[in-house]
Amino acid sequence: MTTTTEARTMPAPIADGFIMPDFGPRQGAPAGTGPTGAAAPAEAYAGSVPAHAGPRKIAFICSKGNLDMAYPALIMGNAALSEGAEVHIFFTFWGLDMINQKTNQNLKFTISGNTAMHMPALGNIRPGLEHFSVPQQMGGLPGMGAFATRYFKKEMADLDIPDVPEFLDLMAAQGAHMYACRLTFDMMKLLEADLHPAVEGVISAADFIVISEGAQVIFV
């Protein structure tokens, strides 16, 4: 029989043969905590991440459509689901590109405006270059956006992290609830047929306020 600790550290098989990658165990968590075990109180193990002592609800608001900004909520949401939390995700403004089937397979990564952009692969040329921030002027060069996007996707694929449409499928299979913002949906002249099948509906901001009552809210 698989123990609770083992269950947390092993990737779980999902429908259609997909496997959610292992993003690592919760450091210092004692046996018996998590979605299937009795959660220990926060003071049970000092110096490590405290265990939550009861049911938890987390709401994510996704407002960005860049490739690098699409993943934070998906990865955190997956972690929340693995801990037994109830997860709700509200896609608004450019975040709708994450659930628009015409755009979510082609999200872009750009150097422009991203002063933290550095490339670990440059360390192979000369040690230390992996910490060098890529000059902003390079973002305007022809083809640089496509190059940066390919580089980012390769780095994610090397870690077995799914692309955005597949990630949405995996999270839906684990029970995540996803919604599109009515205001942005109408502004962008979208159709419900454009939305990823995991999206449960197009709702107003007020509707999401009601849905997320009592939740920890994370804005991305």
Side-chain angles (χ1 to χ4, degrees):
M1 179 177 178
T2 303
T3 65
T4 305
T5 303
E6 290 171 339
R8 180 182 293 114
T9 58
M10 294 175 61
I14 307 296
D16 299 325
F18 294 129
I19 296 180
M20 177 62 72
D22 177 15
F23 292 103
R26 184 157 47 115
Q27 296 299 316
T33 61
T36 58
E43 62 273 13
Y45 48 104
S48 57
V49 181
H52 185 69
R56 192 169 186 178
K57 182 177 179 181
I58 303 181
F60 295 91
I61 300 174
C62 296
S63 65
K64 303 290 192 301
N66 288 350
L67 183 62
D68 56 325
M69 294 304 295
Y71 278 101
L74 299 179
I75 292 173
M76 287 188 289
N78 172 68
L81 289 166
S82 72
E83 291 293 321
E86 179 182 334
V87 172
H88 299 268
I89 309 178
F90 185 66
F91 299 89
T92 186
F93 280 85
W94 309 120
L96 275 184
D97 282 356
M98 293 173 61
I99 53 174
N100 183 348
Q101 296 184 98
K102 295 179 179 177
T103 59
N104 64 5
Q105 296 187 51
N106 299 298
L107 301 183
K108 307 299 183 186
F109 177 68
T110 180
I111 295 173
S112 301
N114 186 357
T115 57
M117 170 63 179
H118 51 84
M119 302 172 65
L122 291 178
N124 297 326
I125 300 174
R126 191 177 73 193
L129 282 182
E130 66 270 26
H131 307 302
F132 177 76
S133 295
V134 177
Q136 291 293 287
Q137 296 87 334
M138 292 187 66
L141 296 176
M144 186 54 67
F147 168 77
T149 298
R150 286 196 304 271
Y151 176 82
F152 188 91
K153 286 187 173 183
K154 179 182 182 302
E155 292 296 308
M156 299 295 278
D158 287 347
L159 295 173
D160 293 326
I161 297 176
D163 60 16
V164 171
E166 183 181 330
F167 218 140
L168 295 173
D169 289 334
L170 295 172
M171 292 190 66
Q174 295 181 89
H177 304 280
M178 306 181 201
Y179 317 93
C181 170
R182 167 59 67 182
L183 174 66
T184 315
F185 180 88
D186 292 341
M187 182 180 72
M188 294 186 175
K189 308 295 190 293
L190 296 179
L191 302 173
E192 292 200 20
D194 296 332
L195 299 178
H196 189 279
V199 177
E200 297 181 12
V202 182
I203 65 175
S204 69
D207 291 330
F208 189 70
I209 294 299
V210 174
I211 289 171
S212 61
E213 182 178 1
Q216 175 185 359
V217 179
I218 300 176
F219 188 94
V220 181

